[in-house]
Amino acid sequence: QAEKDGLSGIRYFDTAVLDELTRELHIEKELQEALTDFSFDLNFQPQYDAKEQKLRGIEALVRWKGQDGIPISPLEFIPIAEKNGSMVSIGGWVVEESIRTFSIWKKKYDLNLILSINISSGQYREDGFTERLLGILKKYGINPEELELEVTESVLFEDFRTAVEKMSVLKDYGIRIALDDFGTGYSSLSYLKGLPVNTLKIDKELTDGILKDLNTGIMTESVIAMAKKMGFETIAEGVETKEQLIRLKELGCDYIQGYLLGRPMSGEDIEQLLK
Ligand code: C2E
Ligand code: MG
Ligand code: MG
Ligand code: MG
């Protein structure tokens, strides 16, 4: 098309790319407004023991609706917020709000559970992250041992040593660390050795393929076996069928999270479950 119009250098006019850019700009603009009145929300998804299906903890997941009231997935807006620097304040809100809410439930229902919070790499790298976190825990009376931070391996990319040192400090305080989405991306086995993390979260991609694809099955089996020997706990993400649950249990996976046992839900709904 463009060639015909004589636009040299541009070989074709890709409307999909333009649509994507327009959407990104739109989200960026709405995010800025959302930041002033903090129109974010939290959902919570339960994590269960694979054997007895006892509640282990809950993962806080951020929710956001655009001005038209249509939810925008964190998978879409978080990368944009990371790029323009607003993820640090959104993430800061998630941390305080989820700990505050968790502390209310803890007192009300005398809970002994873990609160999992996803931490973006920009947020993790911020100076004073650990100190602020410890301050918030203290403010709401939550023990460091009750908190698990979910980070992806992307926190390790920029400056591996500094990132690991930070993990060690967090771990020394008793805060738990989970490596999220494990088994995708570059997940190399060599860096895992000696990493101060408590938990490996086996990505949904592995869970999905566990019974469908021979190699994925082999990989998941190996990851769980290795994690066990290295002393990491394992949580499988995105478990949707009973067959997957049975297989994961056979392989020795410790915990299960997914639509089969519980979807992400509002605070009111999770309270019904905690009662
Ligand atoms: P994640 O931490 O790996 O969370 C799991 C995602 O899978 C969640 O999507 C959850 O709703 C979804 N999920 C759970 N079980 C199932 C299942 O059985 N089937 C299917 N199809 N999906 C399932 P969600 O809430 O859209 O979040 C996507 C990602 O966005 C998260 O992946 C996490 O990386 C990021 N995220 C979400 N909330 C936060 C947050 O508060 N802070 C940061 N930094 N990242 C967040
Ligand atoms: Mg997570
Ligand atoms: Mg995950
Ligand atoms: Mg995932």
Side-chain angles (χ1 to χ4, degrees), residues 75 152 180-182 184 201-205 237-238:
L75 291 174
T152 59
D180 208 343
D181 303 339
F182 191 80
T184 58
K201 290 198 80 174
I202 300 179
D203 194 74
K204 180 171 188 307
E205 218 174 281
E237 294 187 303

Side-chain angles (χ1 to χ4, degrees), residues 3-52:
E3 228 166 355
K4 212 171 60 192
D5 296 342
L7 291 172
S8 60
I10 305 167
R11 261 184 298 181
Y12 56 86
F13 185 72
D14 191 340
T15 48
V17 170
L18 190 65
D19 284 351
E20 204 178 291
L21 277 172
T22 311
R23 168 109 179 128
E24 193 170 324
L25 282 171
H26 172 75
I27 289 180
E28 214 174 334
K29 192 174 146 282
E30 283 211 9
L31 260 182
Q32 237 133 37
E33 284 156 33
L35 273 166
T36 57
D37 55 3
F38 267 92
S39 51
F40 298 95
D41 214 340
L42 290 178
N43 267 4
F44 299 88
Q45 187 179 28
Q47 302 172 334
Y48 292 93
D49 186 272
K51 278 197 206 108
E52 306 151 47

Side-chain angles (χ1 to χ4, degrees), residues 115-223:
L115 170 68
S116 295
I117 308 179
N118 294 284
I119 304 292
S120 77
S121 20
Q123 204 183 343
Y124 180 82
R125 285 198 200 103
E126 273 260 303
D127 282 337
F129 170 76
T130 309
E131 292 70 22
R132 268 198 302 281
L133 190 61
L134 290 168
I136 294 171
L137 288 173
K138 207 165 157 206
K139 179 172 168 191
Y140 294 103
I142 297 297
N143 304 318
E145 293 77 12
E146 295 174 275
L147 181 67
E148 185 158 81
L149 303 179
E150 297 193 1
V151 297
T152 59
E153 58 184 359
S154 68
V155 306
L156 301 169
F157 288 164
E158 209 163 285
D159 182 351
F160 186 83
R161 263 197 47 190
T162 311
V164 174
E165 268 163 28
K166 211 165 197 167
M167 273 182 192
S168 297
V169 173
L170 287 161
K171 209 177 171 211
D172 285 345
Y173 278 112
I175 293 169
R176 308 173 55 92
I177 309 223
L179 215 50
D180 208 343
D181 303 339
F182 191 80
T184 58
Y186 295 99
S187 304
S188 130
L189 299 184
S190 62
Y191 76 65
L192 247 194
K193 163 178 65 108
L195 212 57
V197 304
N198 306 78
T199 310
L200 295 189
K201 290 198 80 174
I202 300 179
D203 194 74
K204 180 171 188 307
E205 218 174 281
L206 296 189
T207 304
D208 277 344
I210 193 169
L211 296 168
K212 280 197 290 205
D213 177 70
L214 183 63
N215 285 334
T216 306
I218 294 170
M219 236 178 96
T220 312
E221 180 172 354
S222 313
V223 166

